Amino acid sequence: MAESKTKLAEVREWIVEHKLRTVGCLWLSGISGSIAYNWSKPGMKTSVRIIHARLHAQALTLAALAGAAAVEYYDHKTGTTDRYPKFLKPDNLTKD
């Protein structure tokens, strides 16, 4: 009988398959949250608020990219994923 996946395993599998989409969504939520937080602070110019929001989102994105790279490295090291993406056939990758 096939084992059913837990919700956490399903979410992890989706994140592994859609790394860039995940990082993009994280960036969007980071910049939105940072703008909302900075807008609550009185006495700041609008340009400063936007710059701070961009810097916070950029730091969050770099951390997410580092995390995605660590997951990719771990998956390849343990052999839990294929070496090549699904759309590439290993037969076509040989040098002539």
Side-chain angles (χ1 to χ4, degrees):
M1 197 182 288
E3 295 180 23
S4 63
K5 293 182 180 178
T6 63
K7 191 67 172 173
L8 183 62
E10 289 177 1
V11 169
R12 184 185 186 285
E13 183 178 325
W14 188 89
I15 289 173
V16 166
E17 289 179 11
H18 302 94
K19 289 179 190 77
L20 292 179
R21 185 177 293 173
T22 304
V23 170
C25 290
L26 189 64
W27 174 84
L28 184 63
S29 64
I31 201 160
S32 300
S34 185
I35 285 175
Y37 174 73
N38 283 327
W39 235 262
S40 67
K41 292 182 173 183
M44 290 177 72
K45 294 171 75 175
T46 303
S47 61
V48 174
R49 290 176 179 163
I50 292 172
I51 290 170
H52 283 176
R54 185 190 62 83
L55 289 174
H56 293 148
Q58 189 172 8
L60 185 63
T61 303
L62 286 174
L65 285 172
V71 167
E72 188 74 21
Y73 177 77
Y74 175 76
D75 284 347
H76 282 297
K77 202 71 161 161
T78 59
T80 56
T81 59
D82 295 331
R83 179 153 172 85
Y84 300 103
K86 293 178 184 175
F87 59 87
L88 289 178
K89 296 179 182 174
D91 305 340
N92 300 338
L93 297 175
T94 59
K95 293 183 180 179
D96 291 333

